Amino acid sequence: MFRKCIKVMILMFLFISMIIPVSAQEVMKSQQGKNLNIQTPKFAYVGSYTAKERDGHGKGIEVYRIDSTSGEWKSIQSVDGFNPAFLALDHEGHFLYAAHGDGTVVSAFAIDQESGQLTLLNQQATGGKNSVHLTVDPSGRFLLVANNTSGNITVLPINIDGSLADFSDLVDLPGKMGPNRAEQASSHPHQVSFDPSGHFVLVSDVGLDKIFVYSLDQIRGKLIANDPPSMATRSGAGPRHFAFHPTKSYQYVINGLDSTITTYQFDDKGGKLQPIQVMPTLSTAFVGNSAASEIMIAPSGKFLYGANRGPSNIGVFSIDQVTGTLTPIEWVSTQGKGPRFFALDPLGQNLYAANQNSDNIVIFRINSLKGTLIPTGQVIKTGSPTCIVFR
């Protein structure tokens, strides 16, 4: 009897060991295929500076089709426009919105779902000047715009057809100017974005050395100051752009003026920030002048990337998954000049460095295990690139 029980148990073990891995593999393959269908981009939209005052060589917004096999970019449309400094998609990828550097309006475009091409819907006044960043709220009903020169944030209702209505709110950012009289003569908001929960709106202000926190009244389209309403950064830091960890409660702010990255613990219940680390974006071997520009985090949450315009490189940092703190890994040349912006594709497989001053976008492959950057040799020639979004 005992031997019979042993045989039955062995047979059951063999059966389970054969069936479960196969089932798990099939689930994984199915999920991977689903993710690829959702996340692999078919089109890239590139904004560029066009004005002589910005030494702009761009055409406006360039639309590229991305070959799914080779990754090659093919230009399929050029849309004339004044200094499209930043671009944002709605959450379903049906509409694209453009902020115009040194301008006073934002533009709304419809996206043809098959061809990827753009059709202008309308332009709407922001009530401010020099719009440098914009984002769509989680409900898809409002567009928020950061006006850098006038020091305010605009809220624009989005109509059902994707066009923009007159602004429902215009909020000036209060505070004391930073010590850098050349760059901090007044409020200069440079990014407006929602936290991952969608409950809070955060604004990084280069001129006031502050990060403001609001909530959005989605009935009236009004911004409501949080309590406390802002977080002071290190004096003269110039907080420019920021990114949130995809799964943990950390926010990372790249400070443009002193070339550092500040790690914050973010309270997504109260909207409060607690600084826990300041890390230089530059290698100790670099002794020249520089200004930091863009920051991104890999979808895995394991690596962070920050751009430096002085040495024209990307700093690569590992993220401690327990403490949230950063450790430098390497600095990689962008193979161009003045990386104002860079982007990661949605799968986190490639990094695209937009070199504003050398009129090119250079593509790097990302080592998923180490986070390091490997040049692919692929370069897209385009004038004065300022922003890239994928669809």
Side-chain angles (χ1 to χ4, degrees), residues 195-212:
D195 78 301
S197 74
H199 295 153
F200 297 100
V201 179
L202 289 93
V203 180
S204 49
D205 194 313
V206 174
L208 303 181
D209 286 327
K210 282 188 175 183
I211 300 170
F212 292 88

Side-chain angles (χ1 to χ4, degrees), residues 218-229:
Q218 295 187 353
I219 303 298
R220 300 181 301 141
K222 302 287 186 180
L223 289 173
I224 303 167
N226 194 50
D227 182 18

Side-chain angles (χ1 to χ4, degrees), residues 356-372:
Q356 177 190 338
N357 300 335
S358 55
D359 300 330
N360 62 13
I361 297 170
V362 179
I363 302 178
F364 297 83
R365 190 74 173 173
I366 298 174
N367 183 314
S368 61
L369 297 178
K370 300 179 180 180
T372 51

Side-chain angles (χ1 to χ4, degrees), residues 211 231-234 245 248-253 255 261-267 272-279 319-326:
I211 300 170
M231 169 75 190
T233 68
R234 178 185 286 179
H245 193 284
K248 300 182 183 298
S249 57
Y250 299 115
Q251 183 200 28
Y252 299 87
V253 179
N255 301 300
I261 297 171
T262 305
T263 302
Y264 293 91
Q265 183 88 46
F266 180 71
D267 173 14
K272 298 177 182 179
L273 296 161
Q274 178 64 43
I276 56 178
Q277 184 194 36
V278 176
M279 170 67 66
I319 300 176
D320 187 298
Q321 299 301 293
V322 176
T323 65
T325 55
L326 304 177

Side-chain angles (χ1 to χ4, degrees), residues 164-205:
L164 298 169
D166 292 339
F167 61 82
S168 56
D169 204 7
L170 183 64
V171 176
D172 293 325
L173 302 177
K176 182 181 177 181
M177 294 178 293
N180 187 325
R181 286 295 171 260
E183 301 292 340
Q184 297 182 306
S186 64
S187 166
H188 294 307
H190 220 293
Q191 180 173 346
V192 54
S193 294
F194 286 83
D195 78 301
S197 74
H199 295 153
F200 297 100
V201 179
L202 289 93
V203 180
S204 49
D205 194 313

Side-chain angles (χ1 to χ4, degrees), residues 319-342:
I319 300 176
D320 187 298
Q321 299 301 293
V322 176
T323 65
T325 55
L326 304 177
T327 301
I329 297 174
E330 66 173 355
W331 285 265
V332 178
S333 169
T334 62
Q335 301 185 10
K337 295 180 180 179
R340 178 184 177 86
F341 181 86
F342 67 89

